[in-house]
Amino acid sequence: MAKVKTAMMKAAMSGLYHTGAHRLLAPYTQGVGVIFTLHHVRPAPAAPKEFAPNRILEVTPEFLSSVLDQVADAGLDVISLDDAVTRLESGDEKRFVCFTFDDGYRDNRQYAYPIFKQRGLPFTLYVPTDYPDGHGDLWWQALEEIVSRAQDEIVLCRQGETWRLPAATDAEKNRAFEEVYWWLRGLDDVVQREVVRKLADGYGIDLSAECRDEVMGWDEIRTMAADPLVTIGAHTKHHYAIAKLPEAKAMEEMVGSADRIAEELGTRPVHFAFPYGDPGSAGPRDFKLAEEAGFKTAVTTRKGMLFADHRQHLTALPRVSLNGDYQSLTYTALYLSGAPFALWNGFQHVNAA
């Protein structure tokens, strides 16, 4: 199903691009800027796998460099989130792009940072503080490994009943991953992690070791934070979906992550990213909580461009994902026009409800 949706989306976007409609719409849809979100930046595997559901979270260094070239050719400035706020609040209409990276993966330092450093361009790194402490759960990555190792089927307990999903072929594995992933996303986050840990134990997967391998430790983050080009933002403590938490727990996740970063780096972050960031993970209550927690901005993954109206909604900012399945400058040209998101959002500038 996910592959079918991706194919349909690519066809629709290609049609939009080749008709030139995005260029006609751009004066009305491009806004004043865009915030791009990324996760992994690393070389493509020598032998791509048919079953790789988390591939959407990866782009290559070459693609990232080409996007930066495209942004420069389009005449947009790459600026920090602090400067983005200044521009929004002052009414500056010079268009800009911000680049943000979620979760603090080690490949960000190895592959992405040198690209930005060479060009003298800023970016923001959002850190869920349990991860550099070595206690994080990259549960979506563990789930991919679990399904990959399954020989015939995945067996789960769901609502007290045994749930069996075929997982012998790549097609079955893709279907099984998608079904289990979205079921897990609907669970209480503590229960979700318990389910994945139990499954991981059965397949000999050490989630804590996996986190330590993939994510930077505090010393590495501290080295990056010493560069004025790098802004460190908060991303909760446990990477929980804020909207699913009681208010006091939600505030604890946000404030606690900022406290931990301040303790390690000596500077308290003023920028925050909601884990997952979709409407089911961050809503109006949570945008207000982020402001009360003292954050200057908070970003979501609601698709959209930045408009002047966003100066009144700085803790509900949209972002556009540089998705591993869409590594083409055709798609990023569409993104910079804002046309796909205007169509998606019914041409409303702010989606903060």
Side-chain angles (χ1 to χ4, degrees), residues 227-244:
D227 190 329
L229 292 174
V230 182
T231 297
I232 304 298
H235 198 31
T236 72
K237 295 191 296 183
H238 299 92
H239 203 279
Y240 287 164
I242 289 295
K244 292 160 62 176

Side-chain angles (χ1 to χ4, degrees), residues 33-346:
V34 60
I35 303 173
F36 282 129
T37 178
L38 302 95
H39 290 81
H40 291 285
V41 177
R42 54 194 179 194
K49 297 183 295 185
E50 186 65 24
F51 174 66
N54 288 310
R55 182 171 46 212
I56 61 172
L57 300 177
E58 303 180 16
V59 300
T60 67
E62 294 77 16
F63 177 67
L64 176 57
S65 290
S66 67
V67 171
L68 288 169
D69 289 339
Q70 184 181 47
V71 166
D73 291 344
L76 279 71
D77 298 330
V78 177
I79 65 174
S80 68
L81 285 174
D82 285 329
D83 287 341
V85 171
T86 298
R87 291 198 185 190
L88 287 171
E89 292 182 335
S90 69
D92 189 338
E93 295 185 355
K94 181 72 168 68
R95 297 187 67 222
F96 63 85
V97 176
C98 297
F99 284 85
T100 64
F101 295 81
D102 287 6
D103 302 340
Y105 295 107
R106 186 165 283 117
D107 56 58
N108 294 173
R109 183 185 179 203
Q110 184 176 2
Y111 295 107
Y113 176 52
I115 294 171
F116 284 85
K117 182 69 172 176
Q118 182 179 24
R119 296 169 183 248
L121 299 176
F123 64 92
T124 296
L125 180 73
Y126 292 112
V127 177
T129 53
D130 259 20
Y131 287 17
D133 281 337
H135 307 307
D137 292 321
L138 304 175
W139 67 266
W140 54 92
Q141 187 169 300
L143 179 61
E144 178 177 334
E145 185 66 22
I146 289 163
V147 177
S148 178
R149 293 187 186 188
Q151 305 233 336
D152 298 310
E153 63 180 5
I154 299 292
V155 182
L156 293 158
C157 179
R158 183 178 61 169
Q159 297 176 332
E161 296 184 357
T162 300
W163 186 23
R164 297 180 181 274
L165 296 96
T169 67
D170 286 331
E172 289 176 343
K173 289 181 187 298
N174 279 305
R175 284 194 295 270
F177 179 91
E178 187 173 2
E179 287 192 49
V180 177
Y181 175 88
W182 287 109
W183 171 64
L184 289 168
R185 281 286 303 272
L187 296 179
D188 171 88
D189 279 16
V190 174
V191 174
Q192 171 200 89
R193 308 300 168 88
E194 290 175 351
V195 170
V196 175
R197 278 192 175 276
K198 184 175 180 180
L199 271 173
D201 288 345
Y203 285 87
I205 298 169
D206 185 334
L207 270 68
S208 294
E210 194 170 71
C211 182
R212 291 191 295 272
D213 287 343
E214 292 276 356
V215 176
M216 287 183 283
W218 285 113
D219 286 344
E220 294 166 287
I221 294 170
R222 194 173 292 109
T223 298
M224 291 187 69
D227 190 329
L229 292 174
V230 182
T231 297
I232 304 298
H235 198 31
T236 72
K237 295 191 296 183
H238 299 92
H239 203 279
Y240 287 164
I242 289 295
K244 292 160 62 176
L245 301 175
E247 185 171 312
K249 180 63 175 175
M251 186 63 84
E252 178 190 338
E253 282 288 319
M254 289 189 279
V255 173
S257 64
D259 288 345
R260 185 77 180 94
I261 291 170
E263 178 185 340
E264 286 290 341
L265 306 183
T267 302
R268 188 177 186 81
V270 295
H271 302 288
F272 178 79
F274 290 102
Y276 312 109
D278 61 286
S281 303
R285 182 207 70 169
D286 313 304
F287 305 149
K288 186 172 183 294
L289 288 178
E291 185 176 354
E292 292 174 1
F295 293 112
K296 184 188 298 185
T297 71
V299 295
T300 68
T301 57
R302 297 182 186 218
K303 302 175 181 67
M305 309 300 281
L306 296 177
F307 292 88
D309 295 345
H310 279 105
R311 65 179 176 269
Q312 303 298 329
H313 301 275
L314 292 175
T315 55
L317 298 178
R319 289 192 291 175
V320 173
S321 175
L322 291 182
N323 184 308
D325 281 341
Y326 294 83
Q327 294 188 73
S328 164
L329 295 185
T330 294
Y331 301 128
T332 49
L334 289 172
Y335 299 162
L336 293 176
S337 78
F341 316 120
L343 297 171
W344 179 276
N345 293 321

